[in-house]
Amino acid sequence: MIAPMVLLATSMPALAGYADAFEYEVERHDGEVEMQDFPSWSERDMHLWTNAARVDPEAFDADYQSGGCSFDSFLADEQTPKPPLFFDPDLTRASRWHCEDMVDNNHFAHESSDGTSFGSRVARFYTDSAYVGENIAYGYGTGYPTVMVGWMCSDGHRSNIMSAGYNEMGPGAIGTHFTQDFGSGTLGTEGKLAMGIHSPENPDTEVDFYVDFYDKDGAPEAVRVFVDGEPYPMDLEWGAEDMGIYALTLDVTDDNCHQYYFTWRRGNDTSTWPEEGSYIYGERCDNPLGWVNNQMSLEVEVDEGGLPRIIGCASAPLGAGITWVLGMLGVVRRRRC
């Protein structure tokens, strides 16, 4: 087994509704143009755990210790909770592209296999931020250990994850190669939910749901996950009510394909994550996007005449040894012409 490695570098100095799965025309590193699905489950998984570390960095100290560090060793600013990072599809295009390049060319560095700098690569896809940062890794298998054991126990990677200067991120994942590109641009939503996930990717007996919430104006009255149209209340798991991760565990009782989305509410304020559709899970799901273009609700409200009515509708879906390696690129400023 190769010893864990950290790469540091410096260089020159964002469709559908927010967080909706989509197909994007992508020019690969080899020049070929193809349609790809964004974001994948692995990318959402890595993004969610990055946000969990940001909103409650102290909560995962046991995982840090398994990676050779501790919460007490963090800088004071890194011990301070930060708002979750919102999803940016252009940053994800940049990070996914880099993962493919590293996999296809047996290459591990922030520079592309052809020598293109990190800043130049990201700028091909994303021009919405004056500064950007990047973390890369391979071999950890899923997002949780990549974030908690790997990146959070490396000074440079942790600095990127815990930086208050970023407000959005693009997660990229191909196999066990992970890239996250950070930026500080104009968010693609006014919603208060940044990232959500079901876990594990292929549930057997239980399925966990996680979603983050952030609103500087206060806590939500309710956070819920709608599974096949039925609302389930979620409880705060990590962080604070106005900046935290909410969670729920349900039993898996069949192998059917199930759809889900998340909501929050405070008074008349509300929004959904994703904004327009639903993610899916279950053995019988056959849509490679893991996605349907609708949001089912079985909630019943009473109209002005006292008669019940159904909110929402439904439609049919569309269509062991491991080497641990890390790489990090800190904040780099990029002049805009």
Side-chain angles (χ1 to χ4, degrees):
M1 176 179 291
I2 301 174
M5 183 187 308
V6 174
L7 302 181
L8 304 180
T10 58
S11 182
M12 296 184 306
L15 300 173
Y18 176 76
D20 289 345
F22 59 96
E23 288 188 315
Y24 215 126
E25 185 177 274
V26 174
E27 180 182 348
R28 289 169 43 87
H29 63 86
D30 57 9
E32 295 293 324
V33 176
E34 65 181 19
M35 298 301 294
Q36 292 189 1
D37 303 336
F38 289 82
S40 69
W41 182 89
S42 293
E43 290 162 348
R44 291 190 290 125
D45 178 60
M46 181 248 287
H47 193 146
L48 186 283
W49 294 118
T50 299
N51 283 346
R54 282 177 64 91
V55 302
D56 198 347
E58 187 173 7
F60 304 96
D61 190 45
D63 297 289
Y64 308 151
Q65 292 185 35
S66 70
C69 70
S70 68
F71 176 78
D72 290 340
S73 70
F74 296 177
L75 298 176
D77 183 66
E78 296 168 348
Q79 295 181 351
T80 304
K82 304 296 191 305
L85 299 167
F86 282 74
F87 173 78
D88 184 87
D90 291 333
L91 283 171
T92 289
R93 292 176 68 202
S95 60
R96 175 87 69 86
W97 190 98
H98 192 51
C99 285
E100 291 176 335
D101 183 24
M102 291 190 292
V103 169
D104 290 352
N105 291 290
N106 192 28
H107 170 78
F108 187 76
H110 290 287
E111 295 75 21
S112 301
S113 61
D114 64 1
T116 300
S117 69
F118 154 76
S120 296
R121 166 174 49 84
V122 175
R124 290 180 57 193
F125 302 96
Y126 176 81
T127 59
D128 198 27
S129 179
Y131 60 95
V132 290
E134 178 173 276
N135 289 344
I136 61 176
Y138 76 80
Y140 283 87
T142 64
Y144 190 95
T146 300
V147 173
M148 302 302 180
V149 178
W151 285 331
M152 287 298 286
C153 269
S154 170
D155 293 347
H157 302 84
R158 183 174 64 250
S159 178
N160 272 343
I161 289 174
M162 296 305 299
S163 172
Y166 298 129
N167 63 355
E168 58 186 356
M169 187 183 80
I174 299 292
T176 61
H177 281 71
F178 296 89
T179 299
Q180 48 183 191
D181 286 327
F182 304 87
S184 181
T186 301
L187 298 182
T189 180
E190 295 182 355
K192 310 305 180 184
L193 305 176
M195 180 54 62
I197 193 74
H198 75 274
S199 185
E201 181 177 10
N202 300 301
D204 183 11
T205 59
E206 291 184 336
V207 57
D208 296 319
F209 297 94
Y210 301 104
V211 70
D212 49 37
F213 174 89
Y214 171 63
D215 187 0
K216 60 182 178 59
D217 293 329
E221 295 174 8
V223 175
R224 299 186 295 180
V225 58
F226 279 70
V227 182
D228 297 333
E230 185 172 351
Y232 295 88
M234 304 181 72
D235 295 322
L236 180 69
E237 187 75 12
W238 298 289
E241 289 185 341
D242 61 347
M243 191 174 75
I245 305 292
Y246 287 77
L248 172 72
T249 299
L250 294 178
D251 292 333
V252 174
T253 60
D254 56 54
D255 61 357
N256 294 330
C257 188
H258 303 279
Q259 60 177 284
Y260 68 95
Y261 62 95
F262 302 94
T263 70
W264 73 278
R265 178 182 58 80
R266 185 178 60 236
N268 292 326
D269 293 334
T270 186
S271 64
T272 67
W273 186 101
E275 287 186 347
E276 297 179 5
S278 305
Y279 284 95
I280 57 178
Y281 69 91
E283 292 184 21
R284 297 189 183 183
C285 297
D286 58 5
N287 181 0
L289 273 174
W291 174 257
V292 292
N293 284 331
N294 72 87
Q295 292 184 340
M296 181 189 299
S297 175
L298 302 181
E299 283 194 294
V300 177
E301 292 186 358
V302 176
D303 64 18
E304 294 180 356
L307 298 175
R309 61 188 179 92
I310 299 296
I311 308 302
C313 61
S315 60
L318 299 175
I322 298 179
T323 301
W324 289 2
V325 185
L326 301 172
M328 180 283 298
L329 191 67
V331 174
V332 286
R333 296 194 177 276
R334 181 176 63 227
R335 294 186 60 185
R336 304 179 73 178
C337 300

